[in-house]
Amino acid sequence: MNEIITLSSVLGSLLYYPLSHEQNQVILQQLTQWTEGEHPFLDLLEAQQQDAPDTLLEDYQQLFEGRESMPAPPWGSVYLDKDQVIFGESTLALRAFLRQHQIEIDTGLREPEDHFGLMLMSLSQLLSDAQSQNSGKVLLSHHLLPWGYRYLTLLKQSATTQTYQCLADIAQQWLEYLQQAFSVQPVEMKVYR
């Protein structure tokens, strides 16, 4: 379970903060020192070495902050709300769920909690409490899986760097692994994007 907690937190950070963020720099440095067994991040590290830092930042800004338009918005309500807005009904449902489990997301910004990266970090917090592991399944089946695969498909298609394309692949494989490991299926919801 510790690996699931750690990898959910790592992927959440890599998909929330820019790669140049201090926390992600520490993560990437630690990943370069990973020598045991299969290395799921090897392609990511190689791609990051090939992509120029300013190109990575531009790609991050387009994919996660948006400029004129966002080809792959990282917020669940954009996919699950009929009007494709942030802070939609699904965001409010997730917020209530997180409060019920005493998880407060405070990034210092007024932003929706249903950001893909934040949700992976929330999953990590839920799973670190043995009594909340069933709640982790609910987070996956009700709040992340219904839209997560669609988001990751758009993320990979929209990324201009190999690094973010690779990160989308890793995250997709991770969702598939989590779905199988916890034997959960996404709740059927209409995806509007």
Side-chain angles (χ1 to χ4, degrees), residues 154-166:
L154 291 176
L155 178 64
K156 183 174 180 178
Q157 290 172 354
S158 304
T160 59
T161 60
Q162 290 182 28
T163 301
Y164 281 106
Q165 291 168 359
C166 187

Side-chain angles (χ1 to χ4, degrees), residues 82-142:
K82 185 178 178 182
D83 296 322
Q84 298 182 16
V85 295
I86 59 173
F87 290 107
E89 296 279 332
S90 62
T91 306
L92 300 177
L94 175 64
R95 183 178 294 160
F97 172 82
L98 293 174
R99 281 188 187 146
Q100 177 185 358
H101 297 286
Q102 289 83 41
I103 294 179
E104 186 174 330
I105 297 175
D106 183 11
T107 62
L109 304 170
R110 186 179 184 280
E111 64 182 323
E113 296 89 340
D114 62 345
H115 184 290
F116 189 87
L118 290 176
M119 291 179 77
L120 285 178
M121 289 187 269
S122 297
L123 176 65
S124 180
Q125 287 181 18
L126 279 171
L127 295 176
S128 62
D129 178 5
Q131 295 179 352
S132 296
Q133 289 182 8
N134 281 335
S135 299
K137 293 179 183 183
V138 173
L139 177 68
L140 285 168
S141 63
H142 288 71

